[in-house]
Amino acid sequence: MSQKVRVRFAPSPTGPLHIGGLRTALFNYLFAKKNGGDFVLRIEDTDQNRFVEGAEEYIIEALNWCGIPFDEGPGKEGDFGPYRQSERKQLYKSYALQLIERGKAYYAFDTAEALDQHRKDHEAKGKTFIYNWHNRQKLTNSLSLSNEEVKNKIAAGEDYVIRFKSPENEALLLNDIIRGEIKIDSSILDDKVLFKSDGMPTYHLANIVDDHLMQITHVIRGEEWLPSLALHTLLYDAFGWDAPEFAHLPLIMKPVGKGKLSKRDGEKGGFPVFPLTWNQSEGYREAGFFPEAVVNFLALLGWNPGTEQEIFSLEELVEAFTLERVNKSGARFDPEKNNWYNQQWLQKTSDEELAKLFAAQLQKKGIASQPEYVRQVVSSIKERASFVKDFWELSDYFFKSPTSYNEKAVKKQWKEDTPGIMQEVSELLDTIEDFSSSKIEETVKSWIGEKELSFGKVMPPLRLVIVGDMKGPHLFDIMELIGKEESIGRIRTAIAQL
Ligand code: GLU
């Protein structure tokens, strides 16, 4: 088949995009790009009761932030628009009527109260009420009523829905690219409502009609839609249309393994489950994740490249991605692994880029800084960081002299003879013309040798007075960066204070 690959991401704008939804979008994007196809965004907003203001904008912004923009969708009209189902609502009814004509669907007039009563009666007997082949002849619909009665009811303006007429006793063979063949007995299916009394289609009808009209070739969506696959397959048959291929992605599981990942897991574990901040819930973007890292870890949630490679750019993912390598079983969400991915992507980001991000944070703290100086600081501390927001704690002493000293370290390092030694070091530093790391190191080390002092008597207290703590990169690098005057000044302050 030389048909152009077309996939769609079809969220309902009922809230922010959950991380699982974002992964669905990503896998659609990867599959489209891998196959030279189109990635369509369709907004499934037929349920007006669940509509949430701002959700559509949020979804679009999240996709853009991740670098996986759609090719066609709201605001990017292609040949298959409009892309919001609410703007297509006038076209669905004729499809529902088509199914009635073909004997594949029927009008049902049962009132909400009547159905409720059936449900209650069944419950009382410990049973569940399903509306399908086994009882539809006894309920109020166009299968049990005469044509005349049906016409009269419609003419009188009675409320009705249109239900799918699920076949009895058919062995259905469903196909899923990830799961293979699935066998189902059609007798267990209920007669789902396709068209509601408020004049709107249900998800099932609108979804199938739009996938057909938008020439979708592959439906890639979450496992929670697998139970709808039988109905969807039957609907394509009923219309006489070719069905697209289906791929149902595995669930994303809680960090502990069992159960679906929820918003509450994020709140409990202190990690984001949304790409961007939504109300009180911090997003990956705001938490300081790089979009590349988010894309990278999401891709490996349920998919594997078949090699040991873990770090992938978006381009590499497009190259490597196949639906056949998506797992059937749930993918455990590991927030620590996500941090690791960010750490890896931070190391791959240029010092210039990181310095810009850090400079913005410094500015917020009211600290003036030179771009080149910030770049050098970043270069010396970044390997210890997972996030740009870690930088300040790792490097504050590059921007201000210590105002206090780690007490434990003082007890351990600050001996009776230390002030004298530090005094001599400060005088020694004053003699160095070229105040470079290597020159300082050479000078201090040979001085230690001449004086027959131990390194332990000089280096740890020297770090303590320069940094205020025992942390940080190579001490002479720090001294070069903060400069001669500042280094000597810090030693003097410490002698006076300790
Ligand atoms: N509107 C559905 C959702 O919110 C789309 C499911 C599908 O992709 O078929 O996930």
Short mmCIF file of all heavy atoms in Angstrom, two decimals, residues 376-385 391-398 437 441 459 462-464 466-467 469-482 490:
data_model
loop_
_atom_site.label_atom_id
_atom_site.label_comp_id
_atom_site.label_asym_id
_atom_site.label_seq_id
_atom_site.Cartn_x
_atom_site.Cartn_y
_atom_site.Cartn_z
N GLN A 376 32.66 30.28 32.82
CA GLN A 376 33.76 29.52 33.42
C GLN A 376 33.31 28.81 34.70
O GLN A 376 33.71 27.69 34.97
CB GLN A 376 34.95 30.44 33.70
CG GLN A 376 35.66 30.81 32.41
CD GLN A 376 36.78 31.79 32.62
OE1 GLN A 376 36.67 32.73 33.40
NE2 GLN A 376 37.89 31.57 31.94
N VAL A 377 32.49 29.51 35.47
CA VAL A 377 31.96 28.89 36.70
C VAL A 377 31.15 27.65 36.32
O VAL A 377 31.36 26.55 36.86
CB VAL A 377 31.07 29.88 37.48
CG1 VAL A 377 30.32 29.17 38.60
CG2 VAL A 377 31.91 31.03 38.04
N VAL A 378 30.25 27.83 35.35
CA VAL A 378 29.39 26.71 34.92
C VAL A 378 30.25 25.54 34.46
O VAL A 378 30.01 24.38 34.82
CB VAL A 378 28.45 27.18 33.80
CG1 VAL A 378 27.85 26.00 33.06
CG2 VAL A 378 27.34 28.05 34.38
N SER A 379 31.25 25.86 33.69
CA SER A 379 32.12 24.81 33.16
C SER A 379 32.78 24.01 34.28
O SER A 379 32.97 22.80 34.17
CB SER A 379 33.13 25.45 32.23
OG SER A 379 34.24 24.63 32.09
N SER A 380 33.11 24.70 35.40
CA SER A 380 33.81 23.98 36.47
C SER A 380 32.88 23.20 37.39
O SER A 380 33.31 22.28 38.06
CB SER A 380 34.69 24.95 37.28
OG SER A 380 33.88 25.73 38.10
N ILE A 381 31.59 23.53 37.42
CA ILE A 381 30.72 22.82 38.37
C ILE A 381 29.64 21.95 37.72
O ILE A 381 28.97 21.18 38.39
CB ILE A 381 30.02 23.80 39.35
CG1 ILE A 381 29.30 24.92 38.57
CG2 ILE A 381 31.01 24.41 40.33
CD1 ILE A 381 27.84 24.92 38.75
N LYS A 382 29.44 22.08 36.41
CA LYS A 382 28.25 21.46 35.82
C LYS A 382 28.21 19.94 35.96
O LYS A 382 27.14 19.36 36.04
CB LYS A 382 28.08 21.88 34.38
CG LYS A 382 29.01 21.23 33.38
CD LYS A 382 28.62 21.70 31.99
CE LYS A 382 28.99 20.72 30.93
NZ LYS A 382 28.77 21.22 29.58
N GLU A 383 29.38 19.32 36.02
CA GLU A 383 29.33 17.85 36.07
C GLU A 383 28.70 17.33 37.36
O GLU A 383 28.28 16.18 37.43
CB GLU A 383 30.72 17.23 35.86
CG GLU A 383 31.69 17.55 36.96
CD GLU A 383 33.04 16.86 36.73
OE1 GLU A 383 33.61 17.06 35.64
OE2 GLU A 383 33.49 16.15 37.64
N ARG A 384 28.59 18.18 38.36
CA ARG A 384 27.95 17.75 39.61
C ARG A 384 26.45 18.06 39.62
O ARG A 384 25.76 17.77 40.59
CB ARG A 384 28.59 18.48 40.80
CG ARG A 384 30.00 18.08 41.07
CD ARG A 384 30.60 18.96 42.16
NE ARG A 384 31.95 18.54 42.48
CZ ARG A 384 33.02 18.80 41.73
NH1 ARG A 384 32.88 19.49 40.60
NH2 ARG A 384 34.22 18.38 42.08
N ALA A 385 25.95 18.68 38.57
CA ALA A 385 24.55 19.15 38.58
C ALA A 385 23.64 18.30 37.70
O ALA A 385 24.06 17.79 36.66
CB ALA A 385 24.50 20.60 38.10
N PHE A 391 22.80 24.85 40.28
CA PHE A 391 24.06 25.58 40.09
C PHE A 391 24.41 26.49 41.27
O PHE A 391 25.54 26.57 41.68
CB PHE A 391 24.01 26.43 38.81
CG PHE A 391 24.19 25.65 37.53
CD1 PHE A 391 24.39 24.27 37.56
CD2 PHE A 391 24.15 26.30 36.30
CE1 PHE A 391 24.55 23.55 36.37
CE2 PHE A 391 24.32 25.59 35.11
CZ PHE A 391 24.51 24.22 35.15
N TRP A 392 23.39 27.20 41.76
CA TRP A 392 23.68 28.20 42.79
C TRP A 392 24.31 27.55 44.02
O TRP A 392 25.31 28.02 44.54
CB TRP A 392 22.41 28.99 43.16
CG TRP A 392 22.63 29.91 44.31
CD1 TRP A 392 22.12 29.81 45.56
CD2 TRP A 392 23.46 31.08 44.32
NE1 TRP A 392 22.56 30.84 46.36
CE2 TRP A 392 23.39 31.63 45.62
CE3 TRP A 392 24.26 31.72 43.36
CZ2 TRP A 392 24.09 32.79 45.99
CZ3 TRP A 392 24.95 32.87 43.73
CH2 TRP A 392 24.86 33.40 45.03
N GLU A 393 23.72 26.46 44.47
CA GLU A 393 24.25 25.80 45.65
C GLU A 393 25.65 25.28 45.43
O GLU A 393 26.46 25.20 46.36
CB GLU A 393 23.35 24.63 46.04
CG GLU A 393 22.64 24.93 47.31
CD GLU A 393 22.31 23.67 48.07
OE1 GLU A 393 23.20 22.86 48.39
OE2 GLU A 393 21.12 23.55 48.33
N LEU A 394 25.93 24.92 44.19
CA LEU A 394 27.25 24.37 43.88
C LEU A 394 28.30 25.45 43.66
O LEU A 394 29.48 25.16 43.60
CB LEU A 394 27.16 23.51 42.61
CG LEU A 394 26.39 22.19 42.73
CD1 LEU A 394 26.12 21.61 41.35
CD2 LEU A 394 27.17 21.20 43.58
N SER A 395 27.84 26.69 43.50
CA SER A 395 28.80 27.70 43.06
C SER A 395 28.66 29.05 43.74
O SER A 395 29.28 30.02 43.31
CB SER A 395 28.66 27.91 41.55
OG SER A 395 27.46 28.61 41.28
N ASP A 396 27.87 29.13 44.81
CA ASP A 396 27.62 30.46 45.41
C ASP A 396 28.93 31.17 45.79
O ASP A 396 29.05 32.38 45.66
CB ASP A 396 26.68 30.34 46.61
CG ASP A 396 27.15 29.34 47.66
OD1 ASP A 396 28.08 28.57 47.37
OD2 ASP A 396 26.58 29.33 48.77
N TYR A 397 29.94 30.41 46.23
CA TYR A 397 31.21 31.00 46.67
C TYR A 397 31.99 31.65 45.53
O TYR A 397 32.97 32.35 45.76
CB TYR A 397 32.07 29.93 47.37
CG TYR A 397 32.24 28.69 46.54
CD1 TYR A 397 33.26 28.60 45.59
CD2 TYR A 397 31.34 27.63 46.65
CE1 TYR A 397 33.39 27.48 44.80
CE2 TYR A 397 31.47 26.50 45.87
CZ TYR A 397 32.50 26.43 44.93
OH TYR A 397 32.62 25.34 44.14
N PHE A 398 31.57 31.41 44.28
CA PHE A 398 32.21 32.11 43.16
C PHE A 398 31.71 33.55 43.07
O PHE A 398 32.28 34.38 42.42
CB PHE A 398 31.89 31.42 41.83
CG PHE A 398 32.71 30.20 41.56
CD1 PHE A 398 32.16 28.94 41.66
CD2 PHE A 398 34.05 30.32 41.18
CE1 PHE A 398 32.92 27.82 41.39
CE2 PHE A 398 34.81 29.20 40.90
CZ PHE A 398 34.24 27.93 41.01
N SER A 437 45.61 28.92 37.51
CA SER A 437 45.48 27.73 38.33
C SER A 437 46.78 26.93 38.42
O SER A 437 47.24 26.58 39.50
CB SER A 437 44.35 26.84 37.77
OG SER A 437 44.27 25.65 38.48
N GLU A 441 49.14 26.48 41.70
CA GLU A 441 49.36 25.11 42.19
C GLU A 441 50.85 24.83 42.34
O GLU A 441 51.31 24.34 43.38
CB GLU A 441 48.72 24.11 41.22
CG GLU A 441 48.93 22.68 41.64
CD GLU A 441 47.96 21.70 40.98
OE1 GLU A 441 47.15 22.13 40.13
OE2 GLU A 441 48.02 20.52 41.34
N MET A 459 46.15 22.35 52.48
CA MET A 459 45.07 22.36 51.48
C MET A 459 43.64 22.38 52.07
O MET A 459 42.83 23.21 51.64
CB MET A 459 45.24 21.19 50.50
CG MET A 459 46.50 21.29 49.63
SD MET A 459 46.64 22.87 48.78
CE MET A 459 45.25 22.75 47.68
N LEU A 462 42.81 25.71 53.52
CA LEU A 462 42.78 26.71 52.45
C LEU A 462 41.42 26.64 51.72
O LEU A 462 40.79 27.65 51.43
CB LEU A 462 43.94 26.49 51.48
CG LEU A 462 44.14 27.56 50.40
CD1 LEU A 462 44.27 28.97 51.00
CD2 LEU A 462 45.38 27.25 49.54
N ARG A 463 40.96 25.41 51.46
CA ARG A 463 39.65 25.26 50.82
C ARG A 463 38.56 25.84 51.74
O ARG A 463 37.66 26.55 51.28
CB ARG A 463 39.35 23.78 50.53
CG ARG A 463 37.97 23.56 49.92
CD ARG A 463 37.72 22.12 49.51
NE ARG A 463 38.56 21.67 48.40
CZ ARG A 463 38.28 21.89 47.11
NH1 ARG A 463 37.20 22.56 46.77
NH2 ARG A 463 39.09 21.47 46.18
N LEU A 464 38.68 25.55 53.02
CA LEU A 464 37.68 26.03 53.98
C LEU A 464 37.56 27.56 53.94
O LEU A 464 36.46 28.11 53.94
CB LEU A 464 38.04 25.54 55.38
CG LEU A 464 37.08 25.92 56.50
CD1 LEU A 464 35.70 25.30 56.28
CD2 LEU A 464 37.63 25.46 57.85
N ILE A 466 38.49 29.62 51.50
CA ILE A 466 38.10 30.15 50.18
C ILE A 466 36.62 29.88 49.90
O ILE A 466 35.89 30.73 49.40
CB ILE A 466 38.97 29.51 49.05
CG1 ILE A 466 40.44 29.87 49.23
CG2 ILE A 466 38.45 29.90 47.66
CD1 ILE A 466 40.81 31.30 48.90
N VAL A 467 36.17 28.65 50.24
CA VAL A 467 34.82 28.21 49.88
C VAL A 467 33.83 28.36 51.04
O VAL A 467 32.64 28.53 50.83
CB VAL A 467 34.88 26.74 49.36
CG1 VAL A 467 33.48 26.19 49.10
CG2 VAL A 467 35.74 26.65 48.11
N ASP A 469 33.46 25.90 53.01
CA ASP A 469 33.03 24.51 53.18
C ASP A 469 34.08 23.63 52.51
O ASP A 469 35.02 24.13 51.90
CB ASP A 469 31.67 24.33 52.48
CG ASP A 469 30.85 23.23 53.14
OD1 ASP A 469 31.46 22.31 53.73
OD2 ASP A 469 29.62 23.30 53.04
N MET A 470 33.89 22.30 52.59
CA MET A 470 34.89 21.42 51.99
C MET A 470 34.51 21.00 50.57
O MET A 470 35.08 20.08 50.01
CB MET A 470 35.11 20.17 52.88
CG MET A 470 35.58 20.50 54.28
SD MET A 470 36.96 21.69 54.31
CE MET A 470 38.28 20.70 53.64
N LYS A 471 33.52 21.66 49.98
CA LYS A 471 33.01 21.26 48.66
C LYS A 471 33.72 22.01 47.52
O LYS A 471 34.56 22.88 47.78
CB LYS A 471 31.51 21.54 48.59
CG LYS A 471 31.19 23.03 48.65
CD LYS A 471 29.70 23.31 48.63
CE LYS A 471 29.45 24.81 48.63
NZ LYS A 471 28.03 25.15 48.65
N GLY A 472 33.35 21.67 46.32
CA GLY A 472 33.79 22.44 45.16
C GLY A 472 34.79 21.71 44.29
O GLY A 472 35.37 20.71 44.68
N PRO A 473 35.02 22.24 43.08
CA PRO A 473 36.00 21.64 42.16
C PRO A 473 37.43 21.94 42.61
O PRO A 473 37.65 22.46 43.71
CB PRO A 473 35.66 22.31 40.84
CG PRO A 473 35.03 23.60 41.20
CD PRO A 473 34.33 23.39 42.50
N HIS A 474 38.37 21.63 41.77
CA HIS A 474 39.80 21.86 42.02
C HIS A 474 40.02 23.26 42.62
O HIS A 474 39.62 24.26 42.04
CB HIS A 474 40.53 21.73 40.68
CG HIS A 474 42.00 21.64 40.81
ND1 HIS A 474 42.61 20.74 41.66
CD2 HIS A 474 42.98 22.32 40.19
CE1 HIS A 474 43.92 20.88 41.56
NE2 HIS A 474 44.17 21.84 40.67
N LEU A 475 40.65 23.30 43.80
CA LEU A 475 40.74 24.55 44.54
C LEU A 475 41.48 25.65 43.78
O LEU A 475 41.10 26.82 43.82
CB LEU A 475 41.42 24.30 45.90
CG LEU A 475 41.53 25.51 46.83
CD1 LEU A 475 40.16 26.09 47.16
CD2 LEU A 475 42.26 25.14 48.12
N PHE A 476 42.54 25.26 43.08
CA PHE A 476 43.32 26.30 42.37
C PHE A 476 42.54 26.88 41.20
O PHE A 476 42.72 28.04 40.84
CB PHE A 476 44.67 25.73 41.93
CG PHE A 476 45.48 25.26 43.11
CD1 PHE A 476 45.77 23.91 43.30
CD2 PHE A 476 45.94 26.17 44.07
CE1 PHE A 476 46.50 23.48 44.39
CE2 PHE A 476 46.67 25.75 45.17
CZ PHE A 476 46.95 24.39 45.35
N ASP A 477 41.64 26.06 40.63
CA ASP A 477 40.76 26.60 39.58
C ASP A 477 39.83 27.67 40.17
O ASP A 477 39.59 28.71 39.56
CB ASP A 477 39.87 25.49 38.98
CG ASP A 477 40.67 24.52 38.12
OD1 ASP A 477 41.86 24.81 37.85
OD2 ASP A 477 40.10 23.48 37.73
N ILE A 478 39.33 27.37 41.36
CA ILE A 478 38.44 28.34 42.01
C ILE A 478 39.21 29.65 42.25
O ILE A 478 38.72 30.74 41.96
CB ILE A 478 37.91 27.80 43.36
CG1 ILE A 478 37.16 26.48 43.16
CG2 ILE A 478 37.02 28.84 44.04
CD1 ILE A 478 36.65 25.83 44.45
N MET A 479 40.45 29.50 42.75
CA MET A 479 41.22 30.70 43.08
C MET A 479 41.54 31.53 41.83
O MET A 479 41.46 32.76 41.86
CB MET A 479 42.50 30.30 43.82
CG MET A 479 42.18 29.79 45.23
SD MET A 479 43.55 28.95 46.04
CE MET A 479 44.58 30.32 46.48
N GLU A 480 41.86 30.84 40.75
CA GLU A 480 42.11 31.58 39.51
C GLU A 480 40.87 32.39 39.12
O GLU A 480 40.96 33.56 38.78
CB GLU A 480 42.48 30.63 38.37
CG GLU A 480 42.56 31.39 37.04
CD GLU A 480 42.83 30.51 35.82
OE1 GLU A 480 43.41 29.42 35.98
OE2 GLU A 480 42.47 30.95 34.72
N LEU A 481 39.72 31.74 39.21
CA LEU A 481 38.49 32.40 38.78
C LEU A 481 38.12 33.60 39.67
O LEU A 481 37.78 34.66 39.17
CB LEU A 481 37.34 31.40 38.75
CG LEU A 481 37.07 30.76 37.41
CD1 LEU A 481 36.03 29.66 37.53
CD2 LEU A 481 36.58 31.81 36.41
N ILE A 482 38.20 33.42 40.98
CA ILE A 482 37.81 34.55 41.83
C ILE A 482 38.91 35.62 41.87
O ILE A 482 38.67 36.77 42.20
CB ILE A 482 37.40 34.12 43.27
CG1 ILE A 482 38.57 33.48 44.01
CG2 ILE A 482 36.20 33.18 43.24
CD1 ILE A 482 38.25 33.15 45.47
N ARG A 490 39.90 36.67 51.23
CA ARG A 490 39.15 35.62 51.95
C ARG A 490 40.02 34.98 53.03
O ARG A 490 39.53 34.64 54.11
CB ARG A 490 38.65 34.56 50.97
CG ARG A 490 37.52 35.08 50.09
CD ARG A 490 36.88 33.99 49.27
NE ARG A 490 35.92 34.58 48.32
CZ ARG A 490 35.11 33.89 47.54
NH1 ARG A 490 35.14 32.56 47.57
NH2 ARG A 490 34.27 34.50 46.72
#
